[in-house]
Amino acid sequence: MDLKGKCVLLGVTGGIAAYKMANVASALRKLGADVEVIMTKNATQFITPITFETLTGHKCMVDTFDRDFKFEVTHISLAKKADVILVAPATANVIANMAHGIADDMLTTTVLAAKCPKLVSPAMNTGMLENPITQDNIATLERYGFTVIPSESGVLACKDVGSGRLPKEDVLIEYILHTIARPKDLAGVRVTVTAGPTQEALDPVRYLTNHSTGKMGYALARAAAMRGADVTLIHGETALPPVKFTTDVPVTTAQDLYEAVTGRFDTTDVLIMAAAVADYRPVTVASDKIKKKDGDLSIPVERTPDILGTIGPQKTHQFLCGFSMETKDLVENSSAKLAKKNLDMVVANNLKVAGAGFGVDTNVVTFITPDGTRELPLMSKADVADAILDEILKPFLLLFPCKHDADGTGAGVTADGGADVCFPAFLEVAVFLQARFHGLHAAGLRLAGGNEHQPILDVIPVGQTVGDVLAHADGQAAAVFFAHFQLAVDYFQG
């Protein structure tokens, strides 16, 4: 996942953590982003502008009235150029100014003029952060559409212990990636992913498990979240960090996993079973440690619940994707699983193929669907995850490819108000939801109007129709939507 073609504007204010933003700027450049930096005057007391200029290749702006000899208004041009703004560390003073529209320096002036997504990462003394005034200002920013990145807790520079630390650099970058790295073509889709191994206890000390690390399932959860899905990650014990922007549900046994999946199945749209679930468990679990004795030990086992075998015949609107790890007869065994369990897709891989299997960052998979099979080459698990999501969406995407996407957003209305000549991705997904799920839940229907970052339509509430929501949209946006939606209706009916 990269940020090629994206512009990230970093706003650095006068907090002790300002030095960390040099690492953020460097990492963003390595991801391919065009990075611009604006510093407040106080920030220059902690780190010099030349540091950011060296890392980004751009002049670091500080003074609103800097005579840079460009025939443009700098704060306006930066506001238009940015795909996302991150203000970090954000001091109490700058947060207060942004919350109340006070534009008294280059940073706050640019933020006020920008229409792109804005991220704010508060970093300050615990007492300042927890002061009701600061909390009100943060809530005001959220009400105006800013995304506030929670502060971390720990020992602060002032030696106090509490909240107010700037999050680690990789956390800030993850928020940027989530905001702009991928089109939100899964917005409104409720995706459940299972990952990792299960553990079946023998006694208080030992258990039966497998070699799964959860890497494939975690990659799927992250990819779906990056694409706007409402993701629930149900996982066994792993050494992996939590996946941000997901609902985390830890489990231990196959029975735990069965209950977690079946209990959420009615409110799931797409279920991807990437977990390595134990097929058998001990019939009884010893209350004390089983002591070593002479001779062999025999442990009676019984079948664990068949999760896909149970829910496959019960599915209504859900898309079910199973995983199949084999050591021989890959396609034959996986095709049998597809039919037997009433699945829409099976992702199969052979443990004996180099680069596939447990504990590695790559995979070699074969997609098996009712329409046939498709083999993929050796890929990173992150790329495999996106390929799986693309395959899941494929049957529902309309056959109207973008012939002309004027501003590169995939949106039906360009940033300057003109219309793209295409069927936009977010409307494809809207029709997918309407056709597949029959309005059983809030559909993620978005229509950009005037600027791709300011959706006219957000989410259709349960009980409302498309018309109800469009009644509050502007005329041009509604007209563009109806034209595209009619194409969709004609396609599905014809």
Side-chain angles (χ1 to χ4, degrees):
M1 189 174 300
D2 59 47
L3 291 170
K4 291 179 181 177
K6 302 293 186 181
C7 176
V8 179
L9 175 56
L10 300 178
V12 183
T13 75
I16 187 64
Y19 74 93
K20 294 184 179 181
M21 298 308 294
N23 291 333
V24 174
S26 177
L28 291 171
R29 286 284 289 163
K30 291 176 182 177
L31 289 170
D34 180 15
V35 182
E36 298 273 5
V37 179
I38 300 176
M39 301 178 69
T40 63
K41 288 184 178 180
N42 287 344
T44 64
Q45 301 297 311
F46 296 95
I47 185 171
T48 64
I50 196 171
T51 301
F52 291 109
E53 292 171 349
T54 303
L55 292 171
T56 67
H58 292 299
K59 181 172 183 177
C60 179
M61 303 305 300
V62 178
D63 186 354
T64 307
F65 301 102
D66 184 16
R67 299 185 67 213
D68 57 3
F69 298 100
K70 292 181 180 179
F71 294 97
E72 59 187 13
V73 181
T74 304
H75 69 277
I76 299 299
S77 63
L78 288 177
K80 290 180 177 180
K81 180 182 179 182
D83 292 295
V84 65
I85 295 175
L86 168 64
V87 181
T91 61
N93 180 64
V94 170
I95 288 173
N97 286 352
M98 292 189 298
H100 296 283
I102 298 173
D104 58 359
D105 61 11
M106 180 58 113
L107 176 57
T108 53
T109 302
T110 304
V111 169
L112 190 62
K115 296 181 180 179
C116 65
K118 305 175 188 74
L119 311 176
V120 176
S121 185
M124 64 196 76
N125 170 265
T126 303
M128 296 174 68
L129 178 63
E130 295 178 350
N131 188 295
I133 298 173
T134 303
Q135 290 299 307
D136 284 347
N137 289 334
I138 289 173
T140 298
L141 289 179
E142 291 179 320
R143 190 169 71 251
Y144 285 131
F146 287 66
T147 296
V148 176
I149 302 172
S151 301
E152 293 184 352
S153 297
V155 179
L156 307 181
C158 60
K159 308 306 180 185
D160 285 354
V161 178
S163 59
R165 289 176 59 180
L166 185 72
K168 294 180 176 63
E169 291 93 322
D170 60 338
V171 173
L172 300 177
I173 292 167
E174 193 74 359
Y175 270 86
I176 291 171
L177 288 169
H178 182 258
T179 303
I180 63 171
R182 297 301 307 270
K184 298 301 182 278
D185 56 358
L186 287 174
V189 182
R190 297 165 298 182
V191 177
T192 297
V193 179
T194 68
T198 58
Q199 299 175 353
E200 308 300 329
L202 286 168
D203 61 22
V205 178
R206 307 175 183 91
Y207 54 82
L208 303 178
T209 189
N210 55 65
H211 296 295
S212 174
T213 59
K215 286 185 175 183
M216 189 68 250
Y218 275 55
L220 278 160
R222 181 173 184 258
M226 288 290 176
R227 294 168 69 159
D230 179 6
V231 180
T232 298
L233 175 58
I234 307 173
H235 62 89
E237 184 71 25
T238 76
L240 301 174
V243 180
K244 290 196 174 298
F245 317 110
T246 67
T247 299
D248 191 78
V249 181
V251 296
T252 301
T253 67
Q255 183 65 37
D256 295 337
L257 185 62
Y258 174 86
E259 293 172 0
V261 171
T262 56
R264 293 167 172 80
F265 188 57
D266 288 343
T267 56
T268 293
D269 300 322
V270 176
L271 172 62
I272 306 176
M273 286 287 296
V277 188
D279 294 323
Y280 295 92
R281 64 190 175 198
V283 173
T284 60
V285 179
S287 58
D288 296 307
K289 178 183 175 182
I290 299 173
K291 303 299 291 184
K292 179 171 58 178
K293 299 179 181 179
D294 293 337
D296 296 332
L297 174 67
S298 177
I299 302 173
V301 295
E302 62 184 2
R303 280 286 284 121
T304 56
D306 186 343
I307 300 173
L308 286 175
T310 299
I311 62 179
Q314 299 175 3
K315 72 176 182 180
T316 53
H317 65 281
Q318 294 91 346
F319 187 103
L320 300 187
C321 174
F323 269 66
S324 176
M325 177 166 282
E326 304 290 344
T327 54
K328 64 177 182 178
D329 302 326
L330 178 78
V331 174
E332 179 182 348
N333 291 339
S334 300
S335 297
K337 181 175 183 177
L338 180 82
K340 180 180 179 181
K341 300 190 178 183
N342 194 30
L343 306 182
D344 298 284
M345 176 178 172
V346 170
V347 179
N349 60 354
N350 189 327
L351 185 60
K352 295 182 178 180
V353 173
F358 298 125
V360 295
D361 294 325
T362 58
N363 213 343
V364 182
V365 303
T366 299
F367 294 162
I368 299 173
T369 68
D371 296 327
T373 64
R374 181 163 73 95
E375 295 183 13
L376 273 62
L378 178 68
M379 303 166 64
S380 70
K381 286 183 174 176
D383 289 339
V384 171
D386 272 318
I388 291 170
L389 296 174
D390 290 342
E391 188 73 18
I392 290 172
L393 280 177
K394 185 185 293 183
F396 311 105
L397 297 183
L398 298 178
L399 304 181
F400 297 99
C402 281
K403 302 296 185 184
H404 170 64
D405 184 12
D407 58 353
T409 64
V413 179
T414 64
D416 61 4
D420 286 343
V421 184
C422 71
F423 196 92
F426 57 82
L427 286 179
E428 292 172 353
V429 176
V431 176
F432 157 46
L433 291 167
Q434 294 288 332
R436 178 84 177 176
F437 308 138
H438 308 293
L440 294 176
H441 63 88
L445 180 60
R446 296 176 182 273
L447 183 60
N451 183 286
E452 68 270 24
H453 302 301
Q454 297 293 323
I456 296 296
L457 304 179
D458 194 357
V459 174
I460 301 178
V462 175
Q464 288 194 20
T465 66
V466 173
D468 292 331
V469 180
L470 281 171
H472 302 291
D474 67 55
Q476 183 188 26
V480 171
F481 171 79
F482 279 123
H484 288 152
F485 193 78
Q486 188 57 52
L487 290 173
V489 171
D490 292 343
Y491 171 79
F492 279 109
Q493 291 182 345

